[in-house]
Amino acid sequence: DRPRCLALWTVLLHDRQPLDPRTMLRLAGGPGALLESMLWARDWATDRRSTADPRGRTTLLRQLLVLTSMQDQAPLSLSQLVQLWTGSFGRLLCAPLRVHEAAWQARFHESARGTISAEMYAQDDLPPCLPMVRLRQVLWRVADVQEEWPAEVQALWRISHERSSAREVGLLWRAAPHLLQDG
């Protein structure tokens, strides 16, 4: 019942042409249509096998979810933000590396003059993960830890909900201290 959403999902999985977030944003018809397509795919797209490079398409899907989560042209409620990163897309949520956080800080510094459009997010090398500030918004609003999330994201959820052990905090601190620091 959503032919445009199905068509975009089919392109994402099976088009052998090189694709990037900017191209997919254009094919979707803008940020609102991309949001609709991502929410539809999360709930209804049962085919996840890709005939194109699976690793590249997983990275692209992560970037599209990040783009959808970060843009401010199409209204995205906090419940929609949580929906994007739970369920079938939950396994794609990851914590940012230091290099990703630095890239996000540079973007935020550049945008001090105003907001960043979806097109601006899509044109450069978009990190395949949310910045910590947005990741925390997701984690705070999810009622229970998701089994599909990577171990460090699960640990961050438990820490943010005050359900972690000192050992878990210590292990995460040794492995990735930037995840536990404020800005």
Side-chain angles (χ1 to χ4, degrees):
D1 68 315
R2 302 255 176 168
R4 181 179 50 189
C5 298
L6 179 59
L8 191 68
W9 187 250
T10 302
V11 167
L12 177 70
L13 293 179
H14 303 294
D15 192 331
R16 295 191 185 273
Q17 299 298 318
L19 296 172
D20 58 22
R22 180 183 234 175
T23 302
M24 293 299 290
L25 181 62
R26 184 181 49 75
L27 290 173
L34 182 61
L35 170 61
E36 178 187 359
S37 295
M38 293 293 97
L39 290 170
W40 175 87
R42 177 208 179 259
D43 292 332
W44 299 105
T46 55
D47 181 14
R48 302 253 189 257
R49 294 169 291 145
S50 176
T51 56
D53 171 37
R55 178 172 281 146
R57 293 311 158 110
T58 299
T59 299
L60 178 59
L61 179 55
R62 268 194 181 118
Q63 289 175 318
L64 293 174
L65 291 168
V66 167
L67 171 64
T68 303
S69 299
M70 295 301 294
Q71 60 80 32
D72 54 7
Q73 292 172 293
L76 176 70
S77 70
L78 291 174
S79 65
Q80 288 173 319
L81 175 66
V82 168
Q83 281 180 323
L84 284 175
W85 295 103
T86 56
S88 61
F89 289 159
R91 66 181 181 78
L92 299 173
L93 185 64
C94 60
L97 301 173
R98 285 181 199 258
V99 67
H100 297 138
E101 270 301 294
W104 282 117
Q105 290 307 317
R107 282 179 188 261
F108 296 149
H109 181 69
E110 289 173 10
S111 72
R113 299 176 300 273
T115 60
I116 302 176
S117 70
E119 291 78 16
M120 290 298 290
Y121 276 122
Q123 73 179 343
D124 295 326
D125 189 26
L126 185 65
C129 57
L130 294 172
M132 276 307 298
V133 65
R134 198 68 161 156
L135 176 61
R136 285 185 186 113
Q137 288 179 331
V138 172
L139 297 177
W140 287 332
R141 284 169 179 81
V142 175
D144 201 6
V145 69
Q146 304 290 301
E147 290 180 19
E148 300 83 18
W149 287 345
E152 62 190 8
V153 175
Q154 290 183 20
L156 286 169
W157 182 91
R158 284 189 289 277
I159 291 167
S160 69
H161 289 267
E162 300 177 358
R163 295 184 186 173
S164 63
S165 66
R167 180 178 186 275
E168 185 172 44
V169 174
L171 289 172
L172 187 58
W173 178 257
R174 283 190 290 284
H178 68 282
L179 297 178
L180 298 174
Q181 297 170 345
D182 290 334

